Amino acid sequence: MAEQFATVDDYIASFPQDVRGILERVRRTIHEAAPEGVGEKISYGIPAVTLNGRNLVYFAGWKQHVSVYPVPEGDREFQRDIQPYRSGKGTLKFPLNEPVPYTLITRVVEHLVAERP
């Protein structure tokens, strides 16, 4: 059974130091791209950033990558830019052995906010 975490800090602290730094930067990038007043929680065993009490975006650390979920529609240019990181319909995977495209994560969050009903 997967380990359960009480907070996002607990989740991030469970990773090796180098991965913790990446997860902290992903977390910060999401918070900076989202409107004021976002929250966070553990949902489905991974960190979720919430907006108006509803989950907006999830992020997670894995052995060889970090992931961001879900994937917004965006425009044609956005779809082209995320294509190398797509893993299934709703997941973006960023390999840990490559620079993480934090500006692309910013765009993901901006699109998710814009597409929110």
Side-chain angles (χ1 to χ4, degrees):
M1 186 167 147
E3 187 172 347
Q4 297 296 313
F5 302 97
T7 67
V8 174
D9 288 329
D10 292 342
Y11 177 88
I12 292 172
S14 73
F15 286 86
Q17 187 171 352
D18 58 334
V19 179
R20 280 195 308 258
I22 293 168
L23 289 171
E24 282 291 356
R25 186 152 177 211
V26 168
R27 179 190 202 182
R28 194 168 48 252
T29 299
I30 291 169
H31 278 267
E32 289 171 357
E36 280 191 45
V38 294
E40 58 183 27
K41 66 182 181 178
I42 296 293
S43 180
Y44 300 105
I46 61 173
V49 175
T50 62
L51 179 61
N52 300 323
R54 293 179 43 219
N55 295 343
L56 175 67
V57 62
Y58 299 83
F59 65 98
W62 302 96
K63 195 171 198 166
Q64 298 180 346
H65 65 276
V66 296
S67 294
V68 174
Y69 326 81
V71 178
E73 280 296 314
D75 54 24
R76 184 174 290 170
E77 178 184 354
F78 176 75
Q79 289 298 318
R80 184 193 69 230
D81 293 346
I82 64 171
Q83 189 56 42
Y85 305 104
R86 239 184 211 290
S87 176
K89 184 179 179 183
T91 303
L92 297 176
K93 288 185 179 178
F94 304 107
L96 292 173
N97 63 351
E98 298 176 15
V100 175
Y102 296 103
T103 56
L104 186 58
I105 294 171
T106 296
R107 290 172 60 204
V108 167
V109 174
E110 290 170 348
H111 280 289
L112 287 169
V113 170
E115 292 175 6
R116 191 97 266 218

